Amino acid sequence: MHTLSPPYSNALSYLHRGSEPTFRVVPTRITVKCGYGFESSSFSQGVGSTRTDWQRACAILSSKVDSQNEDSNPAAAGENIAAVNGHKSAVTDLNLVHVSGEKTLPPKPLTISDLSPAPMHGSQLRVAYQGVPGAYSEAAAGKAYPNGEAIPCDQFEVAFQAVELWIADRAVLPVENSLGGSIHRNYDLLLRHRLHIVGEVQLPVHHCLLALPGVRSEYLTRVISHPQALAQCEHTLTKLGLNVAREAVDDTAGAAEFVATNNLRDTAAIASARAADLYGLQILADGIQDDPNNVTRFVMLAREPIIPRTDRPFKTSIVFAHDKGTSVLFKVLSAFAFRNISLTKIESRPHRNRPIRIVDDDKNEGTAKHFEYMFYVDFEASMAEVRAQNALAEVQEFTSFLRVLGSYPMDMTPWSPSASPSSRGE
């Protein structure tokens, strides 16, 4: 049996690394004038320290995301950092805009063109999530880091890059739902980016039907929300007698914001109770999810891994592939079964570098075409345990690619299916 060799031996270096990353100070303090009318950050002297003050600061990120380059060079992130810290940006107007007398609105989502200064030593963690304020991802970020500053991002990839470029210290992103299944986009992004999973959060999903004040359900002509939220409330909407069109939008809280911003009196949104409070909507129906056991699992991402331990339940996530297809899967699973290691998830995704493998037939009857896959596996063991290290050493013998995404504490907190996130203080 072989031991793990580079780069897979990095998985065992958890034992020698610190539990938290060492913050660095970006040499350049960058702020800009922008369309949001944000004020300067709390990280500058003489500026307010409230969350609203911080959210009123933004800057220009000089690089753009090439969403088509699924297998981009890892050096790309370094180029982006050099473009910011090396003053290569073409932006010339870096003056702050002071806004007074304006109504305070929820912070706008962070986009790929936004940037804020890196954290100072001792500052609280900044946590990126996808969506707008009131989203379930914001509730998960608050549960994972109660004292953190939540940073809304308009795309999943923006949240990944926010951590890589030191805009945020952590990201909290969904990877699977008990009813809707896996969020495939984030599994693909875990492979593209070099962040580490440092924890998980399981959040009960409590859907509400929201509308403008004074609107009655019989006057509704359509309901909008995220596609999974619409699917999770399909039967309940029918039982309520709502013969309405159902339209999908990017996220649940965004649907509530859209109804409120456009004063749509014929449209309702499916979102959280917190979204109703934020955007001034009334709750027409509470707890409209078809299944009360509706839970979404989120992972917490950081630039550096944490030290695995054995004094509490840990989970480890890996991804692997093999040049000869899926025939190796049984051998890989046997490595865990032999050591009595329980798997909590196995997910296959297309191998983007080589989606199809051509095999010539020995009888000259043509060629066979096989789809190639990457396999994501979660198992209940810490990388500090010898059995987990030996299992991965054996897995390496059967695979052509193996990467440890993270070894982290399991979320063991109790939860009540009938309780909404807002009532739980999340």
Side-chain angles (χ1 to χ4, degrees):
M1 180 172 298
H2 302 292
T3 59
L4 291 177
S5 58
Y8 310 123
S9 59
N10 292 336
L12 304 184
S13 64
Y14 284 111
L15 301 176
H16 309 290
R17 297 191 180 185
S19 59
E20 288 294 333
T22 300
F23 292 133
R24 67 173 184 179
V25 180
V26 173
T28 308
R29 169 68 167 89
I30 303 178
T31 52
V32 301
K33 178 186 296 183
C34 61
Y36 296 148
F38 290 167
E39 294 177 351
S40 79
S41 161
S42 60
F43 300 107
S44 296
Q45 294 180 352
V47 182
S49 60
T50 66
R51 179 186 179 204
T52 302
D53 290 336
W54 185 90
Q55 292 287 1
R56 285 171 177 260
C58 69
I60 298 301
L61 176 63
S62 62
S63 63
K64 300 294 182 180
V65 175
D66 184 0
S67 59
Q68 302 299 321
N69 186 10
E70 296 293 341
D71 302 290
S72 60
N73 193 317
E79 294 174 358
N80 292 340
I81 296 176
V84 175
N85 297 339
H87 310 284
K88 295 181 181 179
S89 173
V91 179
T92 58
D93 188 1
L94 299 181
N95 296 320
L96 291 176
V97 178
H98 180 74
V99 180
S100 61
E102 289 189 2
K103 181 180 178 181
T104 301
L105 298 175
K108 298 281 187 178
L110 185 71
T111 66
I112 198 63
S113 62
D114 293 334
L115 180 65
S116 65
M120 303 297 290
H121 289 285
S123 64
Q124 63 188 132
L125 293 176
R126 293 175 293 175
V127 185
Y129 69 92
Q130 187 275 329
V132 299
Y136 294 106
S137 292
E138 184 194 38
K143 180 178 180 180
Y145 301 101
N147 298 320
E149 288 283 349
I151 303 177
C153 303
D154 67 342
Q155 304 173 36
F156 289 128
E157 185 160 14
V158 174
F160 274 86
Q161 289 203 343
V163 178
E164 288 179 328
L165 300 180
W166 296 78
I167 302 170
D169 309 302
R170 299 287 188 273
V172 176
L173 298 172
V175 290
E176 60 180 326
N177 177 266
S178 57
L179 300 180
S182 298
I183 291 87
H184 294 142
R185 176 60 175 164
N186 283 337
Y187 276 99
D188 294 340
L189 290 173
L190 282 172
L191 188 61
R192 284 187 56 191
H193 296 267
R194 303 297 299 183
L195 299 183
H196 302 267
I197 302 177
V198 296
E200 67 173 2
V201 171
Q202 296 186 7
L203 186 77
V205 177
H206 188 90
H207 291 309
C208 301
L209 186 66
L210 312 180
L212 290 171
V215 172
R216 299 170 60 180
S217 59
E218 54 264 31
Y219 299 144
L220 298 175
T221 60
R222 65 171 177 167
V223 174
I224 62 175
S225 191
H226 188 274
Q228 284 205 9
L230 290 172
Q232 293 166 8
C233 302
E234 181 179 3
H235 298 304
T236 303
L237 291 177
T238 302
K239 291 178 181 178
L240 292 174
L242 295 179
N243 186 20
V244 296
R246 302 168 189 182
E247 299 180 10
V249 295
D250 289 339
D251 59 85
T252 56
E257 182 185 37
F258 183 78
V259 170
T261 302
N262 295 279
N263 196 32
L264 302 177
R265 305 194 66 83
D266 64 339
T267 304
I270 297 176
S272 65
R274 170 168 162 75
D277 294 336
L278 283 175
Y279 303 110
L281 302 179
Q282 66 170 332
I283 299 177
L284 295 178
D286 192 11
I288 63 172
Q289 60 275 5
D290 296 335
D291 192 327
N293 297 311
N294 186 0
V295 181
T296 298
R297 175 174 170 250
F298 296 79
V299 292
M300 300 137 66
L301 303 176
R303 289 179 291 273
E304 297 291 337
I306 62 172
I307 297 178
R309 296 158 53 179
T310 58
D311 59 346
R312 60 172 297 179
F314 258 64
K315 181 182 293 185
T316 300
S317 298
I318 64 172
V319 56
F320 63 87
H322 191 267
D323 291 337
K324 296 183 179 180
T326 61
S327 59
V328 72
L329 184 58
F330 174 77
K331 296 179 180 179
V332 170
L333 298 181
S334 298
F336 295 104
F338 177 75
R339 295 169 177 85
N340 197 29
I341 298 177
S342 299
L343 304 187
T344 60
K345 181 178 180 62
I346 181 168
E347 175 82 15
S348 63
R349 294 292 297 149
H351 197 312
R352 305 191 74 90
N353 288 338
R354 192 182 61 183
I356 297 180
R357 176 168 54 96
I358 307 299
V359 180
D360 292 328
D361 185 64
D362 296 336
K363 299 180 180 180
N364 297 323
E365 295 180 356
T367 58
K369 302 174 184 62
H370 301 287
F371 292 168
E372 295 292 332
Y373 293 95
M374 309 285 292
F375 291 95
Y376 294 81
V377 170
D378 295 342
F379 59 87
E380 293 182 345
S382 168
M383 283 301 300
E385 299 180 56
V386 175
R387 60 172 185 158
Q389 299 171 18
N390 291 339
L392 289 192
E394 184 175 344
V395 168
Q396 185 187 358
E397 297 179 359
F398 304 133
T399 58
S400 58
F401 169 79
L402 172 63
R403 177 178 161 192
V404 177
L405 299 173
S407 188
Y408 48 91
M410 296 174 58
D411 183 3
M412 304 295 291
T413 57
W415 60 276
S416 173
S418 60
S420 68
S422 60
S423 66
R424 290 160 51 86
E426 297 163 358

